[in-house]
């Protein structure tokens, strides 16, 4: 864990080194000041030597200024190191998340990743700054003050030593108990963030179903869980201050009582007693600072473990050593493909799939809900890797291609259509950043999107809200299709991406595909048989198995499921799930 986190300090190593250096300098200056005070009292005030008072007073001012300068510089470099470290952690996590395959992303919730990038990183930032400053300052102060106390009077210094040992034991007990609760509290933040995220993203549904009170109660419950866990943790930590203060006051009383008796018998001077009392405060304050550091570290350990989970997670889909950078054509072949989302699962999602698709063919894919239609096409662009067998594109195993090359040639319009904030042009150029305005318009013509875009007052410069909330479902689907076409792919996959458009528009889109991109292999997942019946061939999936593969006419003769669904849909009363169940 330390190695993983330490690798992100990078260019802030200098700041991380200078911070403790200045902290040590500050402590040394502060340690010398009580000795100067003792000298002023013993050799200046009591002996009436005004020159000595002036000299030592001047030295004290210089020492205090050096201490102040060191403290300021330590704070400056510490802040720079901790904020830079936090920045690098966020950047490293975000960049690593971008490399994740779908299976990697499935291991983490969206809310969990947000918490790690925000709350957990903030905890690490605070802890790192305290480690650089307090964790150096406190033990150095403790050691220096203890040495000076023993140098002045070993008998009285033993009081400090006993207090330090006792407080160390109590502090260790508090830290161990508190860590258990802090480990449990941060996953609760994931639940809270999930509640907020779902509520905000689905606010229209919440209001439509008048579920505001339910959502409030859900948020209250998540917030209450965090509150309870923090109360338990703080309930342990709360003993820290009273124990520390009790030790401080006990030491002051003992030093004052025993020291006064020693002054009477001339075995201790007034200045030395004052110095010991000052060192007493230094020692106890350093212990209090250490306790704060340990509390912060206790909190941050749980955060550090969660951050390392993301940083250490490696994508299970990577480029081969010498990848192919050219996809020759859009041919596809599934060779005894079996696929499981969970490698330990006994039941595969796809079982022994054998298909051969020629380049330029239009292939329809239909099947009931949960028949693994999306899973099948996700294997083509290596969004997931097969568990057994192989998928070939352009005559080569997809695992032999460079990932960027493969995915640029296999354009997927996913089932969940997503648009980003920006103009329509901005969204279209996600498919091709170098596309001209004319190319964007042509892609929209093919996707039947230009007809509604031209009705907007700002046309292609119309601003799209986050998630495409200001356009309809059908408009969003057509924009996503146009975006995919701009990649000029060899394979185009439409994963139920015309479900929100009317039948006439669906037919226009399919006609445009046939005329304008005849050499592109087109895979169309649909629930409506009318969307795929004119395809060259149609795949019928049933529970992860190919139940039929052929043209519309062939399937009408040979496949009972396809025939029943066709008859039920042409009669205007059924969908695939209902037909397949007959």
């Amino acid at each position: 864990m330390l190695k993983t986190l330490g690798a992100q300090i990078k260019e802030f190593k200098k700041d991380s080194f200078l911070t403790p250096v200045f902290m040590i300098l500050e402590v040394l200056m502060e340690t010398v000041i009580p000795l100067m005070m003792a000298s002023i009292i013993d050799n200046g005030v009591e002996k009436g030597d005004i020159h000595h008072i002036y000299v030592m007073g001047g030295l004290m001012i210089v020492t205090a200024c050096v201490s102040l300068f060191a403290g300021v510089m330590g704070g400056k470099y510490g802040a720079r190191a901790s904020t830079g470290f936090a920045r690098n952690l966020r950047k490293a996590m975000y960049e690593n998340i971008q490399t994740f395959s779908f299976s990697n992303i499935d291991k983490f919730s969206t809310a969990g990743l947000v918490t790690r990038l925000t709350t957990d990183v903030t905890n690490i930032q605070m802890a790192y700054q305290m480690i650089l400053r307090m964790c150096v300052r406190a033990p150095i102060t403790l050691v220096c003050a203890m040495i000076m106390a023993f140098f002045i009077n070993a008998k009285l210094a033993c009081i400090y030593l006993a207090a330090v040992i006792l407080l160390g034991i109590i502090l260790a007990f508090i830290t161990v108990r508190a860590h258990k609760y802090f480990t449990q509290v941060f996953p609760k933040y994931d639940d809270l963030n999930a509640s907020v995220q779902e509520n905000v993203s689905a606010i229209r549904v919440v209001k439509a179903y008048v579920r505001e009170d339910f959502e409030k109660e859900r948020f209250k419950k998540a917030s209450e869980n965090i509150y309870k866990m923090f109360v338990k943790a703080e309930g342990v930590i709360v003993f820290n201050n009273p124990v520390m203060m009790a030790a401080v006051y006990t030491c002051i009383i003992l030093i004052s009582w025993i020291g006064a008796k020693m002054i009477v018998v001339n075995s201790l001077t007034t200045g030395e007693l004052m110095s010991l009392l000052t060192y007493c405060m230094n020692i106890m304050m350093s212990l209090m600072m250490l306790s704060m550091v340990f509390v912060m570290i206790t909190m941050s350990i749980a955060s550090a473990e969660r951050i390392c989970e993301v940083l250490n997670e490696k994508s299970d889909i990577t480029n081969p050593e010498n990848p192919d950078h050219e996809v020759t054509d859009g041919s596809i072949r599934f060779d005894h493909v079996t696929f499981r989302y969970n490698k330990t699962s006994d039941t595969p999602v796809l079982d022994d799939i054998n298909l051969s698709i020629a380049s330029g063919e239009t292939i329809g894919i239909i099947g009931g809900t949960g028949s693994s239609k999306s899973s099948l096409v996700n294997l083509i662009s290596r969004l997931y890797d097969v568990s057994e067998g192989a998928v070939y594109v352009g005559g080569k195993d997809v695992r032999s291609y460079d990932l960027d090359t493969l995915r640029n040639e296999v354009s997927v319009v996913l089932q969940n259509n997503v648009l980003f904030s920006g103009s329509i042009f901005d969204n279209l150029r996600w498919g091709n950043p170098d596309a001209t305005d004319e190319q964007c318009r042509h892609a929209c013509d093919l996707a039947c999107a230009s007809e509604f875009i031209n009705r907007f007052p700002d046309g292609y410069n119309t601003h799209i809200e986050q998630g495409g909330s200001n356009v309809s479902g059908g408009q969003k689907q057509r924009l996503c299709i146009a975006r995919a076409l701009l990649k000029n792919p060899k394979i185009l996959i439409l994963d139920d991406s015309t479900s929100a458009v009317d039948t006439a528009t669906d037919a226009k889109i399919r006609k445009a595909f046939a005329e304008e991109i005849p050499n592109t292999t087109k895979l169309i997942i649909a629930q409506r048989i009318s969307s795929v019946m004119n395809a060259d061939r149609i795949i019928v999936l049933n529970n992860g198995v190919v139940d039929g593969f052929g043209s519309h006419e062939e399937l009408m003769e040979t496949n009972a499921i396809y025939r029943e669904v066709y008859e039920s849909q042409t009669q205007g009363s059924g969908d695939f799930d209902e037909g397949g169940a007959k």
Side-chain angles (χ1 to χ4, degrees), residues 117-285:
L117 284 163
T118 52
T119 304
D120 288 325
V121 171
T122 301
N123 288 336
I124 295 295
Q125 177 182 337
M126 294 172 62
Y128 188 60
Q129 185 168 15
M130 293 186 76
I131 288 170
L132 291 179
R133 299 184 65 194
M134 301 295 187
C135 209
V136 172
R137 177 188 172 90
I140 295 296
T141 299
L142 180 65
V143 172
C144 289
M146 191 69 74
I147 290 173
M148 297 308 293
F150 271 95
F151 175 75
I152 294 171
N153 191 292
K155 181 178 179 182
L156 290 177
C158 288
I159 296 173
Y160 300 149
L161 185 60
V164 168
I165 294 173
L166 178 62
L167 289 175
I169 294 172
I170 296 173
L171 185 62
F173 174 76
I174 291 174
T175 301
V176 171
R177 287 293 301 273
H179 175 66
K180 180 180 70 173
Y181 296 118
F182 283 124
T183 303
Q184 299 172 19
V185 76
F186 290 109
K188 302 294 182 185
Y189 274 110
D190 296 350
D191 297 336
L192 184 70
N193 284 341
S195 174
V196 175
Q197 179 192 6
E198 289 184 358
N199 180 270
V200 173
S201 61
I203 191 66
R204 290 171 175 78
V205 177
V206 173
K207 290 186 176 297
Y209 284 86
V210 196
R211 297 287 284 177
E212 289 91 343
D213 290 339
F214 173 82
E215 288 295 312
K216 288 177 185 177
E217 188 62 31
R218 184 179 169 207
F219 178 84
K220 180 181 177 182
K221 184 177 180 181
S223 182
E224 188 73 17
N225 287 335
I226 294 176
Y227 165 76
K228 288 179 180 178
M229 292 307 299
F230 264 118
V231 166
K232 290 180 179 179
E234 296 293 341
V236 176
I237 294 173
V238 75
F239 289 102
N240 185 56
N241 268 357
V243 169
M244 288 290 176
M245 295 312 296
V248 169
Y249 293 132
T250 300
C251 286
I252 290 175
I253 292 171
L254 290 174
I255 294 294
S256 300
W257 180 36
I258 300 172
K261 289 184 176 183
M262 295 178 73
I263 290 174
V264 172
V265 298
N266 294 320
S267 59
L268 188 72
T269 66
T270 305
E272 289 174 339
L273 177 60
M274 183 175 291
S275 297
L276 284 171
L277 289 173
T278 303
Y279 288 131
C280 173
M281 292 303 298
N282 286 347
I283 290 170
M284 295 305 135
M285 289 304 296

Side-chain angles (χ1 to χ4, degrees), residues 332-452:
I332 305 168
R333 181 163 64 90
F334 289 81
D335 184 15
H336 296 284
V337 169
T338 297
F339 173 66
R340 299 176 178 84
Y341 284 105
N342 187 346
K343 295 179 180 179
T344 60
S345 175
D346 295 330
T347 306
V349 175
L350 293 167
D351 188 18
D352 197 27
I353 303 296
N354 287 285
L355 296 169
S356 185
I357 300 168
S359 180
E361 269 195 296
T362 298
I363 302 296
I365 304 175
I366 63 173
T369 303
S371 60
S372 304
K373 303 183 294 295
S374 297
S375 300
L376 180 73
V377 297
N378 283 340
L379 299 177
I380 298 172
S381 56
R382 278 197 83 191
L383 297 179
Y384 292 96
D385 265 342
V386 299
S387 302
E388 298 173 22
V391 178
Y392 295 87
V393 170
K396 298 177 182 178
D397 192 326
V398 293
R399 290 169 291 194
S400 68
Y401 285 111
D402 172 71
L403 278 172
D404 290 344
T405 300
L406 176 65
R407 290 173 183 173
N408 276 325
E409 296 294 352
V410 181
S411 193
V412 184
V413 182
L414 296 171
Q415 194 168 9
N416 296 321
N417 299 286
V418 177
L419 295 176
F420 300 88
S421 57
S423 68
I424 290 177
F425 272 136
D426 292 337
N427 273 277
L428 292 173
R429 289 191 173 105
W430 271 71
N432 181 1
D434 300 321
T436 64
D437 291 355
E438 187 58 38
Q439 288 174 320
C440 290
R441 291 188 176 93
H442 181 63
C444 288
D445 289 340
L446 295 180
C448 296
S450 54
E451 57 189 52
F452 71 83

